[in-house]
């Protein structure tokens, strides 16, 4: 059977394709977090299984926090525990004694969202990173549900796991598979800290400025049409700078 990770939006045609790809044999559904492009399809897929007369898979994940937006409210059937394992097992192949197992382990990684979880496929040494690590873009950390300090600490958690378990490949929710996992994590962490230094410099140059003033300085290397999105991560950096006591007096 199969475990479906992040079925996506509540798009019936898309969910039907997932069901067909698994031959209807979906044993569980896991959502890395509750954003609208990840979790709503879980309930559609669950209902489709039930309508087709196959066992109803339970939805696993973390409930959304009170800080989540209205579009990201989510209550799973079963709340995951940090380190919890979901196991698929098949009888031993002919001539072998041990069953074939696939073990998916939850790793709490708040930051992009307060209820974000990454997943380690233990037997294959693979990391499913949800939106915490992406290919081709940097995740937006959008307060109040997003938190930059938590995001950076979660990166450290993932780096330690990759080092300890010799994980080389990351499977992000968006984009292609990433190799050299620890190098990817290091680049992302360095990028965030470099951006934070630019945010701090903008705050020091314009101590009475607004988020819109600071984004022009800190994101001068980013196309202007993206500045509105950049404001969200900039705010997350400002909150971290203030929490660390580094903010200049207005």
């Amino acid at each position: 059977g199969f475990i479906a990770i992040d079925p996506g939006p509540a798009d019936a045609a898309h969910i039907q394709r997932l069901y067909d790809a698994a031959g209807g044999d979906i044993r569980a559904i896991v959502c890395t977090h509750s954003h609208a492009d990840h979790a709503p399809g879980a309930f559609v897929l669950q209902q489709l299984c039930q309508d087709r007369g196959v066992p109803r898979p339970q939805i696993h994940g973390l409930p959304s926090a009170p800080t989540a937006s209205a579009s990201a409210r989510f209550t799973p059937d079963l709340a995951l525990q940090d380190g919890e394992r979901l196991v698929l097992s098949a009888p031993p192949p002919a001539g072998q004694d041990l069953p074939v197992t696939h073990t998916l382990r939850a790793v709490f990684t708040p930051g992009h969202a307060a209820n974000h979880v990454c997943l380690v496929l233990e037997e294959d040494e693979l990391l499913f990173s949800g939106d915490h690590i992406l290919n081709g873009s940097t995740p937006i950390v959008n307060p109040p549900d997003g938190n930059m300090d938590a995001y950076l600490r979660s990166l450290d958690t993932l780096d330690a796991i990759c080092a300890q378990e010799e994980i080389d490949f990351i499977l992000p929710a968006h984009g292609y598979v990433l190799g050299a996992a620890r190098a990817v994590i290091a680049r992302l962490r360095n990028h965030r800290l470099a951006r934070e230094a630019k945010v701090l410099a903008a705050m020091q140059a314009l101590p009475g400025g607004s988020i819109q003033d600071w984004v022009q300085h800190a994101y001068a290397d980013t196309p202007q049409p993206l500045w509105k999105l950049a404001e969200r991560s900039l705010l997350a950096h400002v909150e971290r700078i203030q929490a660390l006591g580094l903010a200049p007096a207005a």
Side-chain angles (χ1 to χ4, degrees), residues 3-221:
I3 296 175
I5 301 173
D6 285 351
D11 181 290
H14 169 67
I15 298 304
Q16 182 67 57
R17 288 193 293 272
L18 292 180
Y19 179 90
D20 292 342
D25 191 7
I26 296 170
R27 307 297 177 90
I29 302 168
V30 184
C31 295
T32 62
H33 61 298
S34 54
H35 288 169
D37 56 335
H38 290 258
F43 302 96
V44 181
L45 181 58
Q46 183 184 61
Q47 186 62 48
L48 179 59
C49 291
Q50 185 170 317
D51 292 345
R52 295 295 176 86
V54 299
R56 182 177 184 268
Q58 291 186 306
I59 299 170
H60 302 254
L62 285 180
S64 54
T67 49
S69 66
S71 65
R73 300 289 162 77
F74 173 72
T75 303
D77 297 322
L78 294 171
L80 284 170
Q81 301 298 313
D82 191 20
E84 183 176 347
R85 290 172 168 86
L86 303 178
V87 182
L88 295 176
S89 183
Q96 297 186 23
D97 297 326
L98 297 177
V100 177
T101 60
H102 295 283
T103 306
L104 203 61
R105 186 177 84 246
V107 180
F108 285 3
T109 51
H112 173 69
N115 66 335
H116 198 285
V117 178
C118 289
L119 302 157
V120 174
L121 185 57
E122 294 184 340
E123 290 84 357
D124 296 312
E125 298 170 348
L126 297 174
L127 172 64
F128 291 89
S129 63
D131 274 1
H132 203 82
I133 299 169
L134 302 177
N135 185 342
S137 63
T138 304
I140 293 173
V141 179
N142 186 9
D145 202 50
N147 181 279
M148 189 61 70
D149 192 61
Y151 180 82
L152 291 168
R153 284 187 280 109
S154 293
L155 281 181
D156 291 341
T157 297
L158 294 177
D159 180 65
I161 288 172
C162 289
Q164 181 177 354
E165 302 182 30
E166 298 182 348
I167 294 172
D168 286 328
F169 293 97
I170 299 173
L171 287 75
H174 304 275
Y176 297 100
V177 174
L178 294 161
R182 295 195 67 200
V184 167
I185 293 170
R187 284 197 299 271
L188 182 54
R189 194 178 198 286
N190 290 339
H191 171 80
R192 286 265 60 108
L193 291 177
R195 184 67 71 187
E196 187 161 286
K198 291 182 178 182
V199 173
L200 178 58
M203 294 172 69
Q204 290 170 335
L206 298 167
S210 66
I211 292 292
Q212 291 74 28
D213 295 328
W214 294 334
V215 80
Q216 295 181 45
H217 289 257
Y219 284 83
D221 58 342

